[in-house]
């Protein structure tokens, strides 16, 4: 297990290098000059050239990328062109809000999705199964920003039950978490149903039924555990997706998170902000995938990492 973990951690390094290089080059293909945006339309060419030299933007691209990597290895992601603050400080200030939303949405989606998936598999082709599958299809098909607006109108404006702006109290987390996790509910429910149905058709399940073991014991003790691996995979992937894809929900509910920060950086051509946020999100995502791989061995003891 230890050797496998070290090997996977070493594999993370080239992945992050490739991601950082692609992001570094792509953001520079976007039309617009960040220095011109910062100084304004009335800035002289001399002032723009001096500022570009100060920020190191006049160097060749590969030299700029090398400087970025060296500083990143030292924990320095550069300074924001817009705010002139260290990007690492800006991310540290906003990352907890996004992480809380992503974790909350993942837990919500996993609990509801797995419950619906198991229930749907047990009640296959019955009314309960059909209702859950229709709900899953609707949840997957509904855009997050549309659901956010509907829930805000219903629960905040008309009913007045929940606040809709910021994250000041625990109640402020309810609407963003539900909105962010709703699409994942449908995906997890469908994956759980498919995996459970495959396990429930196995010979050892039929043998357990012939021995008179109750349906509840068969489902929860024998079938559910053996159906978990694909479900855990989907949950882990969805956590990474929710972490990186929360910008729309953060914008609707006025959450000062890292997703909204990255979008602002793209709009303002703030190179250090985009590079830093993408690198942090990519690192989180690959570490989550590593954790999911290691959890497999806890779920199924037959899995060995040599």
């Amino acid at each position: 297990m230890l050797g496998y973990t070290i090997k996977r951690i070493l594999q993370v390094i080239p992945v992050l290098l490739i991601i950082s290089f692609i992001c570094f080059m792509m953001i520079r293909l976007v039309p617009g000059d960040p220095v011109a945006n910062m100084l304004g339309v009335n800035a002289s060419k001399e002032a723009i050239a001096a500022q570009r030299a100060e920020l190191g933007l006049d160097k060749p691209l590969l030299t700029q990328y090398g400087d970025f990597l060296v500083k990143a290895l030292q924990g320095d992601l550069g300074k924001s062109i817009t705010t002139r603050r260290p990007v690492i400080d800006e991310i540290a200030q906003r990352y907890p809000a996004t992480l809380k939303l992503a974790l909350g949405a993942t837990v919500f989606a996993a609990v509801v999705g797995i419950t619906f998936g198991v229930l749907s598999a047990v009640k296959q082709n019955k009314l309960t199964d059909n209702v859950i599958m229709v709900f899953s299809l609707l949840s997957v098909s509904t855009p997050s920003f549309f659901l956010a607006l509907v829930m805000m109108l219903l629960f905040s404006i008309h009913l007045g039950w929940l606040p809709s702006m910021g994250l000041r109290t625990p109640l402020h987390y309810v609407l963003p978490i539900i909105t962010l996790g709703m699409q994942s509910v449908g995906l997890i429910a469908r994956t759980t149903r498919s995996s459970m149905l495959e396990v429930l058709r196995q010979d050892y399940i039929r043998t357990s039924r012939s021995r008179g073991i109750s349906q509840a014991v068969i489902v929860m003790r024998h079938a559910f555990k053996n159906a978990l691996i694909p479900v855990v995979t989907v949950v882990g992937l969805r956590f990474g997706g929710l972490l990186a894809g929360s910008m729309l929900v953060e914008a609707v509910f006025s959450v000062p998170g890292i997703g909204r920060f990255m979008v602002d950086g793209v709009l303002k051509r703030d190179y250090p902000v985009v590079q830093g946020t993408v690198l942090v999100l990519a690192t989180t995502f690959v570490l989550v995938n590593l954790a999911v791989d290691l959890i497999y061995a806890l779920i199924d003891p037959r899995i060995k990492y040599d």
Side-chain angles (χ1 to χ4, degrees):
M1 177 76 77
L2 179 60
Y4 174 80
T5 305
I6 295 174
K7 181 180 178 180
R8 285 298 308 273
I9 292 175
L10 292 177
Q11 291 175 350
V12 167
I13 297 175
V15 172
L16 294 179
L17 285 174
I18 294 172
I19 292 174
S20 64
F21 181 77
I22 293 174
C23 174
F24 183 89
M25 293 302 176
M26 286 187 66
I27 188 61
R28 282 159 176 75
L29 295 176
V30 177
D33 188 347
V35 175
N37 292 340
M38 178 180 67
L39 297 180
V41 294
N42 297 323
S44 64
K45 293 183 178 179
E46 293 77 11
I48 292 177
Q51 188 64 46
R52 288 181 62 84
E54 180 182 344
L55 296 174
L57 298 178
D58 59 336
K59 299 178 181 179
L61 286 180
L62 291 180
T63 303
Q64 293 182 43
Y65 178 67
D67 294 341
F68 167 70
L69 282 184
V70 172
K71 292 180 179 179
L73 291 174
Q74 298 171 357
D76 181 8
L77 298 177
K79 288 187 178 181
S80 169
I81 297 176
T82 305
T83 65
R84 306 304 298 159
R85 291 188 59 198
V87 173
I88 192 68
D89 293 343
E90 297 275 13
I91 293 176
Q93 181 180 349
R94 292 168 170 80
Y95 188 75
T98 300
L99 185 61
K100 290 177 184 177
L101 288 183
L103 283 173
T106 303
V107 172
F108 165 75
V111 172
V112 177
I114 290 175
T115 301
F116 281 1
V118 172
L119 187 60
S120 181
V122 173
K123 303 293 184 180
Q124 183 185 13
N125 297 328
K126 296 182 180 178
L127 178 62
T128 303
D129 181 25
N130 294 330
V131 170
I132 291 176
M133 286 300 98
V134 170
F135 172 79
S136 300
L137 181 61
L138 288 175
S139 68
V140 171
S141 306
T142 304
S144 295
F145 69 90
F146 175 75
L147 180 62
L149 294 175
V150 170
M151 295 189 69
M152 184 185 295
L153 288 172
L154 179 61
F155 294 103
S156 296
I157 297 177
H158 290 295
L159 298 177
W161 291 352
L162 297 169
S164 61
M165 298 292 178
L167 296 176
R168 294 185 298 274
T169 67
L171 285 178
H172 284 81
Y173 286 87
V174 176
L175 289 182
I177 284 177
I178 293 177
T179 303
L180 191 60
M182 189 56 71
Q183 282 191 331
S184 299
V185 168
L187 180 61
I188 293 173
R190 297 171 75 88
T191 303
T192 304
R193 178 183 184 273
S194 176
S195 183
M196 282 290 296
L197 287 176
E198 182 178 352
V199 173
L200 289 173
R201 296 190 183 104
Q202 298 296 318
D203 291 337
Y204 72 90
I205 296 295
R206 286 192 286 268
T207 302
S208 299
R209 286 175 179 154
S210 66
R211 292 171 56 192
I213 300 176
S214 67
Q215 179 73 356
V217 173
I218 291 175
V219 170
M220 299 310 300
R221 182 174 297 179
H222 300 294
F224 179 64
K225 187 174 181 180
N226 291 326
L228 265 183
I229 286 184
V231 178
V232 170
T233 303
V234 172
V235 171
L237 292 175
R238 288 309 302 157
F239 172 73
L242 293 175
L243 192 66
S246 61
M247 64 278 297
L248 291 176
V249 174
E250 291 176 358
V252 173
F253 292 104
S254 297
V255 176
I258 193 174
R260 189 177 176 186
F261 180 56
M262 182 172 64
V263 172
D264 291 341
V266 173
L267 295 176
K268 296 175 182 177
R269 312 296 188 269
D270 197 331
Y271 298 160
V273 167
V274 178
Q275 294 161 189
T277 51
V278 169
L279 187 60
V280 169
L281 291 174
T283 302
T284 305
F285 191 81
V286 295
L287 291 179
V288 169
N289 284 338
L290 173 60
V292 169
D293 285 347
L294 297 180
I295 289 173
Y296 290 162
L298 299 178
I299 297 175
D300 189 348
R302 294 173 300 179
I303 297 177
K304 301 295 183 182
Y305 296 111
D306 297 326

